[in-house]
Amino acid sequence: MIASHLLAYFFTELNHDQVQKVDKYLYHMRLSDEILLDVSNRFNKEMEKGLGAETNPTACVKMLPTFVRSTPDGTENGDFLALDLGGTNFRVLRVKVSDNGMKKVEMENQIYAIPEDLMRGSGAQLFDHIAECLANFMDKLHIKDKTLPLGFTFSFPCHQSKLDESILVNWTKGFKASGVEGRDVVTLLRKAIEKRGDFDIDIVAVVNDTVGTMMTCGYDDHNCEIGLIVGTGTNACYMEDMRHIDLVEGDEGRMCVNMEWGAFGDDGSLDDIRTEFDREIDMGSLNPGKQMFEKMISGMYMGELVRLILVKMAKEDLLFEGRITADLLTTGHFETRYVSEIEKDKEGIKMAHQILSKLGLEPSHEDCVATHRICQIVSSRSASLCAATLAAVLRRIRENKGVDRLRSTVGVDGSVYKNHPHFSSIMHETVKELSPKCQVTFLQSEDGSGKGAALITAVACRIREAGQR
């Protein structure tokens, strides 16, 4: 298995018999080098399908044009607002970009919650809530009398025909607000603001969080041409040659493509590596049959995968002496953050004992060792699959440029990548194995999605002003 020497290092303290028992039980989740390379090649074909005008309608990986044609050049200047909506919380930011030779970016932001009833209520209620939070933020900063340019990070699959229009294809990540799918989210936000009548803004750009991440890292490193998110959900974007993007006219230059790679496998192309636990996750989700790749990888599902494995092994008398508690049987009660806590090198087994006890179990040392190993297999599969698709993107960029060796930077954000103790090292090692002719730097994005939306807005304003001169 790729990065097996890394994994072996993490396992040295574990009880050998327990590890063997879990390894045998979860045999299908441990993906070989050959399988990962095969997945990478399959993904490359999916990219081709998504880019082609004739094949795009039936493609799972939609390869959506973003109309972001340029990264920051350091001359951007001004005061901008940004909205960042992509999960259960959303943020409003004020970003000051100053070009005084030092490329300085200053930010103030406020986090607001989105109650579950609004995530699944009407679209009008959801956008009224966003407009209210924006008004609250502008009140606090005493800027309600200004009409500032705003960038809107909206991290769901959307079709764009220009920079300030984004039509929601379908909700993901637990959102189900009615009356939004098939509509332009910028128009819905403008209507909610107009209805209030107490402030005005200039919505310049709507972007995906992956694009925001790429732009933020691109501000510091001009080699950055890929944005990657591994958090509640997972997705990536990259700079593609215009000559390959059939959905947009023109052959000159490059454009950022939002891949929406979470839907890889929705056509059954990953069925041979999906397990019974993956199928159970899918059947119990809000969107059965959709986002198959995301359900094997992201933070929204990782803890739940571990819980389902624990339940089945307990039912088969392989764990907890066959005992099962109501807490263990409750969806969502084994949180993804527990996976990270259990995999910490020195405290992992102790953390496993605490977490399992909290679920009403009375775990033996062996139960804790087995749970530790289950977490490792689930998270390392996630990191390896993520690396397989990323390697396909890197190989494609290398071929586009016609170079023997590619030097490229990947801007990364997301709670799983940032908080899991071994996810990033396994992913980096696997990318190196699968794309040996690519020298990759991984740059962790600080505040990528919000700051990135403001930077895209700043770039758009710079280009707009240059056109008006």
Side-chain angles (χ1 to χ4, degrees):
M1 186 175 179
I2 285 176
S4 56
H5 61 286
L6 278 169
L7 291 170
Y9 171 74
F10 304 148
F11 301 159
T12 48
E13 298 300 312
L14 297 188
N15 175 307
H16 187 65
D17 290 345
Q18 289 303 108
V19 169
Q20 276 200 325
K21 179 171 81 176
V22 174
D23 282 4
K24 194 174 172 188
Y25 195 80
L26 297 179
Y27 174 76
H28 290 299
M29 286 189 122
R30 300 175 65 228
L31 305 177
S32 67
D33 301 15
E34 291 74 27
I35 289 171
L36 290 171
L37 191 56
D38 185 34
V39 168
S40 192
N41 290 333
R42 287 183 218 181
F43 186 69
N44 189 50
K45 285 177 187 158
E46 292 299 321
M47 289 168 72
E48 295 271 350
K49 263 193 218 171
L51 288 167
E54 288 179 15
T55 47
N56 176 274
T58 56
C60 293
V61 180
K62 283 299 180 191
M63 307 294 281
L64 305 169
T66 65
F67 296 85
V68 170
R69 298 287 307 269
S70 174
T71 49
D73 69 1
T75 65
E76 290 75 25
N77 215 341
D79 233 356
F80 306 93
L81 286 169
L83 279 179
D84 179 10
L85 175 66
T88 48
N89 292 328
F90 85 102
R91 287 180 315 147
V92 186
L93 304 93
R94 179 202 200 172
V95 183
K96 288 186 176 191
V97 184
S98 52
D99 168 34
N100 51 7
M102 293 170 69
K103 294 204 306 184
K104 201 173 168 194
V105 179
E106 295 173 59
M107 294 190 296
E108 298 165 89
N109 74 85
Q110 177 85 37
I111 294 174
Y112 297 93
I114 298 186
E116 203 162 307
D117 59 326
L118 286 184
M119 288 169 70
R120 296 173 194 185
S122 77
Q125 288 171 316
L126 176 64
F127 281 92
D128 285 349
H129 177 66
I130 293 167
E132 186 181 337
C133 296
L134 184 54
N136 170 277
F137 181 75
M138 293 175 81
D139 259 339
K140 275 186 183 172
L141 297 185
H142 310 292
I143 52 172
K144 251 187 169 174
D145 56 331
K146 296 180 179 177
T147 303
L148 294 176
L150 178 138
F152 186 12
T153 303
F154 187 74
S155 305
F156 301 92
C158 289
H159 275 302
Q160 285 188 250
S161 57
K162 49 189 178 176
L163 193 57
D164 65 347
E165 178 186 273
S166 199
I167 293 158
L168 178 65
V169 177
N170 57 274
W171 283 117
T172 56
K173 293 180 278 195
F175 277 75
K176 274 286 182 189
S178 61
V180 186
E181 290 182 349
R183 296 183 67 189
D184 173 27
V185 296
V186 175
T187 300
L188 293 172
L189 179 58
R190 281 190 181 126
K191 276 184 181 167
I193 291 166
E194 281 166 18
K195 193 160 66 176
R196 292 180 61 86
D198 57 342
F199 69 97
D200 195 18
I201 48 169
D202 172 20
I203 304 173
V204 172
V206 59
V207 298
N208 189 275
D209 55 353
T210 54
V211 185
T213 295
M214 184 190 75
M215 291 293 270
T216 299
C217 294
Y219 194 65
D220 301 318
D221 180 343
H222 292 307
N223 276 330
C224 186
E225 50 197 341
I226 299 173
L228 169 66
I229 304 281
V230 196
T232 305
T234 183
N235 191 19
C237 71
Y238 74 107
M239 296 302 289
E240 175 60 88
D241 286 12
M242 283 290 290
R243 63 197 162 102
H244 296 313
I245 307 173
D246 284 0
L247 302 174
V248 180
E249 282 183 22
D251 286 340
E252 293 301 309
R254 301 205 294 173
M255 181 183 283
C256 180
V257 168
N258 164 23
M259 303 175 78
E260 289 301 334
W261 79 8
F264 177 33
D266 286 7
D267 59 354
S269 59
L270 293 176
D271 283 0
D272 58 324
I273 62 165
R274 288 175 68 234
T275 64
E276 61 184 291
F277 307 109
D278 297 308
R279 288 190 283 276
E280 198 173 336
I281 285 264
D282 180 47
M283 286 188 296
S285 69
L286 281 170
N287 54 348
K290 306 279 186 195
Q291 300 294 105
M292 292 305 186
F293 189 62
E294 182 167 86
K295 285 169 183 168
M296 296 174 83
I297 282 180
S298 75
M300 188 162 182
Y301 306 100
M302 200 186 282
E304 186 62 8
L305 273 170
V306 172
R307 187 190 70 80
L308 292 173
I309 294 164
L310 293 175
V311 168
K312 185 151 193 276
M313 288 186 78
K315 281 181 177 172
E316 293 177 20
D317 258 359
L318 294 168
L319 285 177
F320 318 125
E321 295 180 343
R323 283 192 313 276
I324 298 171
T325 62
D327 265 335
L328 186 63
L329 287 170
T330 305
T331 303
H333 271 213
F334 197 99
E335 298 174 37
T336 293
R337 66 187 172 91
Y338 296 166
V339 179
S340 295
E341 286 168 15
I342 286 170
E343 286 194 63
K344 283 177 183 162
D345 287 339
K346 288 179 183 170
E347 307 147 30
I349 303 298
K350 194 170 95 181
M351 286 308 301
H353 191 275
Q354 278 180 26
I355 288 160
L356 294 169
S357 299
K358 203 160 82 173
L359 295 172
L361 297 155
E362 294 168 20
S364 65
H365 176 72
E366 286 73 24
D367 291 331
C368 296
V369 168
T371 303
H372 186 277
R373 181 61 169 146
I374 291 163
C375 289
Q376 286 175 326
I377 288 173
V378 169
S379 66
S380 62
R381 182 185 73 155
S382 168
S384 299
L385 283 170
C386 204
T389 46
L390 188 56
V393 178
L394 286 158
R395 291 198 306 270
R396 181 172 182 88
I397 292 173
R398 185 177 71 80
E399 283 163 20
N400 283 352
K401 290 185 175 180
V403 293
D404 184 50
R405 293 194 70 78
L406 175 74
R407 279 191 62 212
S408 189
T409 298
V410 180
V412 201
D413 205 349
S415 53
V416 171
Y417 183 86
K418 286 181 170 178
N419 300 334
H420 188 281
H422 307 303
F423 185 96
S424 58
S425 50
I426 292 169
M427 189 182 88
H428 298 172
E429 190 73 18
T430 310
V431 165
K432 205 185 288 181
E433 296 263 359
L434 293 175
S435 48
K437 292 188 175 179
C438 302
Q439 188 185 332
V440 191
T441 302
F442 289 88
L443 193 56
Q444 193 166 296
S445 165
E446 293 308 322
D447 212 12
S449 43
K451 180 177 166 186
L455 285 168
I456 289 164
T457 304
V459 170
C461 288
R462 163 171 63 78
I463 292 166
R464 186 167 68 181
E465 281 160 22
Q468 286 168 355
R469 281 183 200 133

